[in-house]
Amino acid sequence: MSEDLLARARESRKSPAALKVKVSNLRSRHSSGPIFVVEGVDDVGVYETWLQPFANGAFVNIVPGSGQEQLLGFRQVLKNDQTGLNKNVYFFVDKDYDGLQGNELGDDIFCTESYSVENYLGTILVCKSIIRDELRVDASSDLFAELVSLFDNALKSLLRELYHVNMYIYCCRVLGVRLNQNIPHLTDLVVVSLDGIRPLDDVANLIKEKLPASREITYVELQEISATFSSLNNVRAIRGKFIFQFFKKWFHCLSDEITLHPNGLFVKEKINAKFSPSIITHRSCAARSERPEGLADFAISAFCSSRSM
């Protein structure tokens, strides 16, 4: 198959029509009950975990899409559907930096208050739960407090060191400037350690090499937008994938530190040597996290509506 045909095949999978086929096939097998559509496969375990307590023991039907644009496009298609497919179909979208992209709010759609679902997963709350549960560290101990403090300081370091990278991504989104390639993985930008992060290069060079855009963002544009962005530089508002990638990498560093005992730099007491950072998944962290504000009411309404029909 030629590169052109491959590209067209990939694009077709991202079309609203492709998502409609998925939902139609699922509805043909499950004639009743809500169907929840999420942005991607990583979201399935998260939303199933958050929704299951409201499902009255039923299996939660979730369809993953291929991004927010496809999901919102499919929602528009459903508004004109005459087959009844639009009944009991609900959508979950990430707020990102542009919310619903101008689409209408409605009882059928839930938008996170944080940038994305990952922002709820890589938090100090989830960190504490893993340290207590998986590492078997007493929450009343000095070691517990030391590890939590290490994580908190490293997270603050992430916000500080990636400030200009995140602001650049925000500027591109606000100005409608297209990035020429996918946003890189966090570890292509920084080195993560237990006590903080270190950029791999000067920030200006990182932006130029790792985040090439369709046009240059001017200094004036950056200055005009920087005041708005400064209020967004927190764990809830910046790119969630960076937060969760940092979270997973930090626990990898902690695992390495545990194996070095008693010769490590930070952990002076013996910790559960069987701990594996592979247990840190979207689903497992969702089970330890808080739910987005308003999600419980949205879920209850969706399940109750389907039962009354």
Side-chain angles (χ1 to χ4, degrees):
M1 187 180 289
S2 69
E3 285 296 319
D4 183 52
L5 286 174
L6 281 171
R8 277 188 282 175
R10 283 193 292 267
E11 284 303 309
S12 68
R13 289 196 291 269
K14 296 179 181 179
S15 70
L19 195 49
K20 183 178 181 180
V21 170
K22 284 186 179 182
V23 173
S24 296
N25 288 341
L26 183 59
R27 180 57 81 201
S28 69
R29 295 177 180 274
H30 301 276
S31 59
S32 62
I35 292 176
F36 299 98
V37 185
V38 298
E39 291 188 25
V41 292
D42 286 339
D43 297 334
V44 173
V46 175
Y47 278 108
E48 182 177 27
T49 301
W50 286 342
L51 291 169
Q52 194 63 62
F54 310 102
N56 197 29
F59 181 74
V60 180
N61 285 306
I62 301 177
V63 176
S66 297
Q68 188 183 93
E69 186 174 342
Q70 183 198 45
L71 186 150
L72 292 174
F74 172 53
R75 182 178 179 238
Q76 287 300 116
V77 169
L78 276 192
K79 287 183 181 296
N80 301 315
D81 181 78
Q82 302 297 319
T83 68
L85 183 62
N86 56 0
K87 295 178 181 177
N88 285 334
V89 177
Y90 300 90
F91 301 88
F92 286 105
V93 296
D94 292 336
K95 181 180 180 181
D96 291 352
Y97 287 134
D98 47 11
L100 297 183
Q101 300 180 17
N103 287 267
E104 294 180 0
L105 294 170
D107 295 338
D108 64 327
I109 192 164
F110 181 88
C111 183
T112 61
E113 287 206 348
S114 292
Y115 183 97
S116 69
V117 295
E118 284 90 354
N119 296 75
Y120 297 92
L121 310 182
T123 65
I124 198 163
L125 173 66
V126 179
C127 172
K128 287 178 177 180
S129 177
I130 293 172
I131 291 172
R132 180 188 60 192
D133 184 25
E134 302 296 338
L135 276 68
R136 314 285 175 83
V137 177
D138 187 342
S140 66
S141 67
D142 289 341
L143 177 59
F144 183 88
E146 289 165 5
L147 291 176
V148 171
S149 179
L150 272 174
F151 175 82
D152 189 39
N153 289 333
L155 184 57
K156 289 174 181 175
S157 172
L158 176 76
L159 295 176
R160 185 171 60 250
E161 299 297 339
L162 276 190
Y163 180 87
H164 292 288
V165 169
N166 283 314
M167 184 171 71
Y168 181 81
I169 293 170
Y170 175 73
C171 285
C172 287
R173 187 70 62 85
V174 170
L175 297 171
V177 176
R178 179 177 55 83
L179 293 173
N180 295 334
Q181 59 192 42
N182 291 333
I183 296 173
H185 192 281
L186 177 69
T187 53
D188 291 327
L189 300 170
V190 302
V191 174
V192 178
S193 61
L194 280 179
D195 61 342
I197 71 163
R198 174 177 57 81
L200 288 169
D201 197 353
D202 178 78
V203 172
N205 290 334
L206 286 176
I207 290 173
K208 182 178 179 180
E209 294 177 12
K210 304 294 185 180
L211 295 164
S214 56
R215 73 166 177 83
E216 183 179 355
I217 306 296
T218 67
Y219 177 78
V220 172
E221 287 174 326
L222 283 172
Q223 288 299 106
E224 289 177 347
I225 294 174
S226 63
T228 302
F229 177 76
S230 62
S231 65
L232 300 175
N233 191 44
N234 59 69
V235 174
R236 288 296 178 87
I238 68 167
R239 180 173 170 78
K241 281 186 171 54
F242 284 162
I243 295 290
F244 196 55
Q245 287 163 1
F246 157 78
F247 189 84
K248 294 175 73 173
K249 184 62 178 177
W250 189 87
F251 273 101
H252 272 275
C253 293
L254 181 56
S255 178
D256 292 341
E257 176 79 5
I258 290 170
T259 62
L260 292 174
H261 180 78
N263 300 313
L265 294 175
F266 302 100
V267 179
K268 302 305 181 183
E269 297 180 36
K270 188 174 181 179
I271 294 179
N272 177 17
K274 295 181 180 179
F275 168 72
S276 171
S278 64
I279 62 98
I280 300 174
T281 65
H282 282 72
R283 182 185 291 272
S284 70
C285 288
R288 304 173 189 274
S289 75
E290 62 176 318
R291 295 188 193 96
E293 185 177 350
L295 185 140
D297 290 340
F298 181 83
I300 291 169
S301 176
F303 284 111
C304 286
S305 293
S306 67
R307 291 174 192 138
S308 64
M309 295 186 68

